[in-house]
Amino acid sequence: MPNIKSAIKRVKVSEKRRLRNASQKSALRTAVKAFETAVTPEALINASKKLDKAASKGLIHKNAANRKKSRLAKKLNALTAQA
């Protein structure tokens, strides 16, 4: 455990951020999995919003978010073209 006041604060702040990041990342994964099972335009919009939000907050890289959104849209378009 740190003894210096600023180091104690850093530990508290970093723990709060870690928990918030873990929660947001979990919600992101849940939204993507919900799209994978449903494959509907509404689920795609929800997953895209979560990906954009995560990228803007620095949770995931911007290009990674765009790549994932592209792959999800590609999956939706392939299924709608079949039907």
Side-chain angles (χ1 to χ4, degrees):
M1 217 33 222
N3 296 324
I4 298 165
K5 193 173 184 180
S6 61
I8 292 169
K9 181 178 179 183
R10 281 281 117 220
V11 169
K12 288 179 185 174
V13 169
S14 63
E15 179 63 14
K16 265 190 200 173
R17 286 185 178 173
R18 184 186 70 78
L19 291 171
R20 188 181 311 126
N21 287 342
S23 170
Q24 287 179 345
K25 208 162 204 174
S26 175
L28 169 66
R29 284 194 213 104
T30 302
V32 171
K33 283 180 185 174
F35 171 79
E36 299 275 340
T37 56
V39 192
T40 62
E42 296 81 22
L44 176 65
I45 290 168
N46 186 30
S48 294
K49 279 183 184 179
K50 295 268 187 194
L51 285 164
D52 285 336
K53 187 75 126 177
S56 71
K57 299 288 184 188
L59 198 60
I60 60 173
H61 196 274
K62 181 181 66 153
N63 291 354
N66 288 336
R67 183 180 64 242
K68 288 175 194 281
K69 286 188 339 187
S70 174
R71 287 177 180 169
L72 294 176
K74 193 174 177 182
K75 184 176 275 193
L76 178 68
N77 291 338
L79 281 175
T80 53
Q82 283 180 352

